[in-house]
Amino acid sequence: MVSRFQKFKFQVVAPTLIGLLKAFLGDRNQTGDACSSQEFLFILGSGRNGSTLISTILNQHKELCVLPEQYLIPFQTSQWQIKRWQSKERFIDQLAVGVQRPDKTMDWGIAYDEVLNLFRQGGKSSMVSIESIFREIYLLYSHKKGKANVRYLGEKSPLNTHYLRIIEPNFPGAKYMFMMRDPRDVVLSYSRLEGHAAQNIHYAIWKWMDSARQYEWLRKKGHNPLMIKYEDLVADPIGQANFICDFLGISKFEKIDEQSRMGNHMGVKGQMHHQNLKKPINADSVGGGAKTLSYSHLTLIYKELGALARKYGYILEKPCS
């Protein structure tokens, strides 16, 4: 489980320290990135909420490329701003190593030397900001997938949700989309993930709660994050996909190719908890938490999340003993 110290470190200490360094030493990011034709789309949420499902759909759009999940952006962004003594070349070398680590990144099919060559060829102009650095790597991935003219580079790692205070100031051109799901179904889904920290119900509840808090934080910052509910997505996939297209200002889907979607496993083909990606979209798992979870777990969810869930349209019934 993520410890309280880790949460405090990356949600409070790191953003505060970065803010102080910017105030006294200036922003390490430069403004030469503002005219890029590709924007980042962060797909956020608690996890177990359909982010992988919607990514398989969005990847059918010629103007979108959503990469398999990774755990690099918040930690590399912190290093970029805090380790001012580290050269940009050294930073790129460490990032290239991170891209190869299976505990940090799904297999993107990008070699260590390919990352280094991106910035050798582009020179320092490719390293004006952390946003531009990740853009170069994400574009390399999209080109390998045969997408040469994308407008949005999608980032779907739920981990990013909890570190928005680090990400948001460093990716000024990004758009944000939150996936939301009945917290009882989220807890049930996490409980079935062998070896995952969120099998612990307290951590699963925290992840759902913090996701809602980060959504509200972005709204207060003046952003207009789009919310997509899992229940709406499985009931009307093309309608929700086109809702996203409207949000991004791109052409709508005429149809969804189920065979293509089921063949796009977002790097999780062998993971048991993602086996539903091999099936046509269905609503079989909607409402499972209320029917399956124990009385004690439902009581705890009701106590911790009842009022907050109601705010997003989820009416949690108080369990009867």
Side-chain angles (χ1 to χ4, degrees), residues 1-2 190 193-204 207:
M1 184 189 300
V2 176
Y190 269 127
L193 264 63
E194 194 66 35
H196 196 287
Q199 275 191 302
N200 182 304
I201 186 173
H202 296 283
Y203 186 41
K207 285 177 70 66

Side-chain angles (χ1 to χ4, degrees), residues 162-180:
H162 309 302
Y163 302 122
L164 272 178
R165 286 165 174 76
I166 293 173
I167 293 170
E168 186 266 347
N170 289 281
F171 289 77
K175 291 186 180 292
Y176 300 94
M177 186 178 100
F178 273 77
M179 299 298 298
M180 182 68 75

Side-chain angles (χ1 to χ4, degrees), residues 109-126:
I110 297 175
Y112 171 83
D113 285 342
E114 288 183 291
V115 177
L116 297 187
N117 288 336
L118 276 178
F119 302 99
R120 287 174 183 154
Q121 294 167 3
K124 291 187 177 181
S125 62
S126 297

Side-chain angles (χ1 to χ4, degrees), residues 22 87 168 208 212 320:
K22 285 183 177 180
S87 70
E168 186 266 347
W208 197 96
C320 298

